[in-house]
Amino acid sequence: MKILARQLTVDMYDCKNKNLNDYKDLKDSLEVGMNIAGFTPIEVRAQILNQNEVVVFILLQEGHAVIRTYPELKYVSNDIFICTEDGKPEKAVKALKKIVKPEKIRMTYLKRGDFGTVKDVKPRIKIRIAPLRPLRSIKKKGAKVIKTVAHRIKL
């Protein structure tokens, strides 16, 4: 079955770049990196949050990318969403690695729009029913009954 898009989430730990809070440098570097990876940036925005965390959003002709830096933790999170059949979001990760210089990387691939079989598309619903004791045996227990029923139903 053909998929509509690929999403790659990337966690980069112990980044060696000292300028993770320099949003202008990150913005320019990431735009160049996306071009090198073969993607076409339409718009690039960068914003400083909480006085040192940086968010860079890149709207691509092929999808989008969001990068968020946490300089105090030397951590960078990255989501790349590519909507082309032959899109390779890992190419953009190579460009980002050169910029932030991480020691450790964790990548997670997601296939978006993979409809699979009819069974795969149906929502999974779980219902749990807890049996109640007859009221005659618990008539005098009042609050304890309410507590027990609430725990069994998991309210």
Side-chain angles (χ1 to χ4, degrees):
M1 171 62 65
K2 195 192 284 189
I3 61 172
L4 298 178
R6 288 168 180 76
Q7 184 171 359
L8 179 60
T9 62
V10 183
D11 295 305
M12 297 184 176
Y13 303 96
D14 199 18
C15 298
K16 301 299 180 202
N17 186 341
K18 303 285 187 218
N19 298 323
L20 290 179
N21 57 355
D22 183 359
Y23 75 97
K24 289 179 183 175
D25 184 41
L26 281 171
K27 177 182 169 185
D28 295 340
S29 299
L30 290 169
E31 187 172 8
V32 169
M34 290 296 167
N35 279 321
I36 291 170
F39 301 118
T40 311
I42 296 171
E43 186 174 351
V44 182
R45 293 198 176 209
Q47 184 73 41
I48 294 179
L49 303 174
N50 301 329
Q51 298 170 352
N52 64 351
E53 295 170 10
V54 175
V55 175
V56 180
F57 175 78
I58 304 172
L59 180 61
L60 303 166
Q61 186 172 341
E62 301 83 4
H64 64 269
V66 180
I67 294 93
R68 184 165 181 146
T69 67
Y70 299 86
E72 291 174 0
L73 301 172
K74 297 180 182 178
Y75 170 74
V76 174
S77 67
N78 183 10
D79 294 324
I80 303 171
F81 187 85
I82 302 299
C83 302
T84 59
E85 201 173 308
D86 59 341
K88 303 278 187 214
E90 54 277 355
K91 287 182 181 179
V93 173
K94 285 182 184 178
L96 182 60
K97 279 174 42 177
K98 289 179 184 176
I99 297 166
V100 299
K101 301 174 181 116
E103 283 291 317
K104 181 181 170 188
I105 295 177
R106 183 176 61 200
M107 295 194 295
T108 306
Y109 289 91
L110 302 169
K111 293 179 182 178
R112 305 301 301 271
D114 181 7
F115 295 100
T117 64
V118 174
K119 181 182 176 187
D120 293 338
V121 178
K122 286 185 180 177
R124 292 174 178 89
I125 300 172
K126 290 185 179 181
I127 299 173
R128 183 171 180 223
I129 300 172
L132 296 176
R133 294 182 183 143
L135 285 177
R136 286 176 278 159
S137 67
I138 56 174
K139 222 176 200 178
K140 297 179 183 178
K141 294 184 181 176
K144 188 174 180 181
V145 171
I146 293 171
K147 217 183 248 185
T148 303
V149 171
H151 285 304
R152 285 190 181 181
I153 299 175
K154 294 197 183 225
L155 293 176

